[in-house]
Amino acid sequence: MRKLILLLPAALLIWIGAASVAPQSPSGRKQQTVENNRAAASSAFSTEDQKEKRLRWWREAHFGMFIHWGLYAVPAGEWKGRPIPGIGEWIMNRAKIPVAEYELLTRQFNPVKFNADEWVKVAKDAGMKYLVITSKHHDGFAMYDSKASPFNIVDATPFKRDVLKELAAACQRAGIKLGFYYSQTQDWHEPDAVGNDWDFPDESKKDFAHYLEVKVKPQVRELLTNYGPIGLIWFDTPRNITKAQSQELVDLVHQIQPDCLVSGRVGHGLGDYDSVGDNQISVGKISRDWETPVTLNDTWGFKKDDHNWKSTAILIRQMLQVISRGGNYLLNVGPTAEGIIPEPSVQRLAEVGQWLRINNEAVYGNGPSPFAYELPWGLITTRPGKLYLHVFDWPQKELVLYGLKSKVQKAYLLANKKELKLRVESDKALDHHALRVELPATAPDKHDSIIVLEVRGELVTENSLIQQPDRSVTLPAYLSEVHKAAGEQQLRLDSRGVIERWVNKDEWVSWDFKINRPGAFDVVVLTSEQKYGRDWEGDHQVRIEVAGEKMQGVIANQGKEENPFNPYWKYVKSKVGRATIAKPGKYNLTLKPEVLQTEKKLGLTLVSVKLIPVQ
Ligand code: FHN
């Protein structure tokens, strides 16, 4: 059976997918049989080869546009004259709006200014290579002509146009991949789905499997059948879905369109790539394919009073931090109820696009930084034989890079190809390598100036954590070794590389690192606030040992530090002590908690330990 299906041509499989749309039966039984047959065929699409093929364009793309657009753009964050806190597309849930009242918004949804070609042009001019739009968000409203539910833009609004169809055509014309966001578990419009506990409070009456059969699967089938080739389906919030149900959705997608990617949020690790937390940017060496969805202001769906726009500088930094860690950056816009992408978004995207037009060689299809840790002046992306140094903070006279062992043949500025003088220093005994690149006085770009290094042969870097040219040492939580006497480890790394749930003082961390310029250092611990500075837990007592010196200190708030890549989480600084490291060489630092405060259940949220040279 397996072999036979492998031999079926893709066109026939697409036909099977499209042709087997069974009429809905209340029990969903007939549909179930169809899905079971499909499940048997699923292995044909789940081979590593298939996945590699699907991911090819996406790995090259690196940068896409997310669009959250739906009925929630009408209230735009305000309900009955009252501003509703939180993200705009959650207004129905946050204000507990009954389905019958929310449905009335359809009468006001008439986005006559919507122009698919204009939206696609905004994305294309920004340098985005794919576009993912909400086909149905948690409110249950379909933004296309759905036969599976009349609660859709064509049947229920005066607008009557299928915006997905128009976008599909515009994307085809512009050569941009199109993807659909689809909320598979939460649907506040449906009694059997997850999330609406104000209209449908009785959990025991809910039949989630029925909702999957009568709404989710038919709609996913429509989306993959009626809109041409689809780049990806962006499932979201897997919540209560079982592994078998997630698998059924993955199989359904791949049976209809074998080349269509499935986002990690389909649940149970079954997607083609990982989708990390909203606005969270992963750091360190990452061996999987991943994407981060990011807001341009604080909301996804339009909110009239959200003016907290990220600067172009932050957007460029974030995008490159993601790409330098091998990920994709999916940047959101939330159009208005009239069909307009807000001007502050358009303006910032145009600026990102301007930067990309000059520097695209350092972005699309590029691989990640060879270093597992962040560098003080910026980031690195790579191509075979080339390193692109993205310099955000332009040093005076020269840029110094430690730890690159490969032979660098040439260095030049990407913007004007001007060659730069190079000097290499190495200390065999210490296995220390320093590359010095002479720089012009001013940075060629106000956001990110790129120095290209042409490297002969394989890219070889030093693996250990090393002191940086400014003599500081950063020991990040994501590169620590975690120790635990016995039992299961409680602390864990969140997707930003910060330790969370550190509430057990039997757990401790350590790092090995190398010093080439000894001296006295302040030992500073950086911890992380919760998102938007909502909370932080301090007063933990810790013991640090480094280079034979022991110190005890309290994690107290001695000032905050901006995270240069992410405005949502600030770092809290605590100086624990001072250590003198007398000789160059390899060292170890241990951090052990003695008392952990756990009342707020946040514990010690470790970002890094820093050794800062005493001047
Ligand atoms: O609840 C949604 C939210 O509204 C938005 O769609 C984001 C985008 O990643 N996803 C969910 C929360 O993670």
Side-chain angles (χ1 to χ4, degrees), residues 8 16-17 24 50 76 97 104 140 240 337 344 359 365 387 412 417 425 429 454 459 467 474 493 529 591:
L8 283 178
I16 293 172
Q24 294 163 23
Q50 283 283 347
I97 304 171
L104 296 178
N240 64 327
N359 300 294
L387 257 80
Y412 57 91
K417 306 285 182 287
E425 292 164 5
E454 284 186 1
L459 201 53
Q467 186 179 24
T474 300
L493 277 184
E529 288 184 335
L591 186 159

Side-chain angles (χ1 to χ4, degrees), residues 384-386 406-407 409 455-460:
K386 281 183 183 172
S406 315
K407 169 119 183 70
Q409 289 175 305
V455 176
R456 196 169 62 204
E458 232 184 283
L459 201 53
V460 189

Side-chain angles (χ1 to χ4, degrees), residues 63-79:
F63 185 29
M65 176 184 269
F66 214 177
I67 305 178
H68 275 68
W69 198 37
L71 285 183
Y72 37 80
V74 175
E78 187 181 302
W79 192 249

Side-chain angles (χ1 to χ4, degrees), residues 207-508:
D207 182 354
F208 179 72
H210 180 248
Y211 153 74
L212 268 187
E213 294 306 323
V214 301
K215 188 161 180 183
V216 177
K217 288 181 186 174
Q219 287 199 327
V220 169
R221 208 173 284 119
E222 288 173 338
L223 290 167
L224 288 160
T225 310
N226 301 333
Y227 298 89
I230 299 305
L232 57 92
I233 299 284
W234 215 93
F235 290 110
D236 197 9
T237 65
R239 295 277 177 106
N240 64 327
I241 198 164
T242 65
K243 187 168 183 185
Q245 288 166 335
S246 292
Q247 186 67 57
E248 279 168 28
L249 291 180
V250 171
D251 293 343
L252 177 61
V253 172
H254 290 160
Q255 280 152 21
I256 304 175
Q257 294 207 22
D259 290 337
C260 180
L261 290 160
V262 172
S263 77
R265 295 195 192 179
V266 72
H268 304 280
L270 293 172
D272 287 304
Y273 63 84
D274 264 19
S275 170
V276 300
D278 295 348
N279 284 303
Q280 301 206 12
I281 294 177
S282 301
V283 280
K285 280 226 158 157
I286 303 160
S287 52
R288 53 186 205 278
D289 292 290
W290 66 284
E291 176 186 66
T292 190
V294 169
T295 49
L296 250 156
N297 45 352
D298 293 338
T299 182
W300 302 90
F302 179 70
K303 248 189 125 172
K304 60 184 164 203
D305 64 357
D306 183 346
H307 307 294
N308 195 21
W309 303 101
K310 294 189 178 82
S311 65
T312 305
I314 282 274
L315 298 173
I316 290 177
R317 280 183 184 216
Q318 287 196 328
M319 171 178 75
L320 292 164
Q321 195 180 34
V322 169
I323 297 167
S324 76
R325 294 291 160 219
N328 278 21
Y329 189 66
L330 187 61
L331 183 57
N332 183 72
V333 295
T336 66
E338 287 188 301
I340 300 286
I341 300 178
E343 191 45 39
S345 303
V346 175
Q347 186 204 324
R348 283 160 178 77
L349 292 178
E351 286 167 5
V352 173
Q354 268 165 24
W355 181 88
L356 272 166
R357 263 190 289 286
I358 297 165
N359 300 294
N360 56 73
E361 184 193 317
V363 173
Y364 303 113
N366 277 31
S369 167
F371 296 97
Y373 47 83
E374 305 296 301
L375 296 157
W377 41 261
L379 300 161
I380 300 182
T381 57
T382 50
R383 271 171 193 261
K386 281 183 183 172
L387 257 80
Y388 298 87
L389 312 185
H390 296 254
V391 188
F392 299 123
D393 302 313
W394 196 247
Q396 280 184 348
K397 292 195 178 114
E398 63 174 10
L399 180 131
V400 188
L401 174 65
Y402 284 174
L404 181 62
K405 294 185 176 185
S406 315
K407 169 119 183 70
V408 178
Q409 289 175 305
K410 191 176 165 189
Y412 57 91
L413 292 170
L414 182 62
N416 56 17
K417 306 285 182 287
K418 188 179 173 315
E419 196 163 342
L420 304 170
K421 272 195 196 147
L422 280 176
R423 200 149 49 90
V424 176
E425 292 164 5
S426 60
D427 175 337
K428 278 217 173 94
L430 201 60
D431 191 25
H432 177 64
H433 306 263
L435 174 77
R436 295 179 181 276
V437 184
E438 226 173 79
L439 299 180
T442 50
D445 192 289
K446 66 177 173 186
H447 295 303
D448 169 12
S449 306
I450 297 175
I451 299 168
V452 187
L453 301 182
E454 284 186 1
V455 176
R456 196 169 62 204
E458 232 184 283
L459 201 53
V460 189
T461 55
E462 185 171 344
N463 285 328
S464 52
L465 273 165
I466 47 181
Q467 186 179 24
Q468 290 302 307
D470 65 359
R471 292 184 49 226
S472 71
V473 180
T474 300
L475 307 172
Y478 57 85
L479 294 178
S480 66
E481 195 177 332
V482 180
H483 308 265
K484 166 120 179 62
E488 206 181 310
Q489 184 183 306
Q490 269 171 283
L491 68 76
R492 46 158 258 176
L493 277 184
D494 76 2
S495 60
R496 296 173 299 139
V498 172
I499 287 183
E500 57 174 24
R501 298 191 206 154
W502 195 352
V503 290
N504 180 347
K505 68 182 183 58
D506 292 342
E507 295 177 338
W508 54 282

Side-chain angles (χ1 to χ4, degrees), residues 52 109 139 172-173 204 434 474:
E52 284 296 304
F109 192 52
D139 63 357
Q172 283 276 353
R173 282 192 285 274
S204 69
T474 300

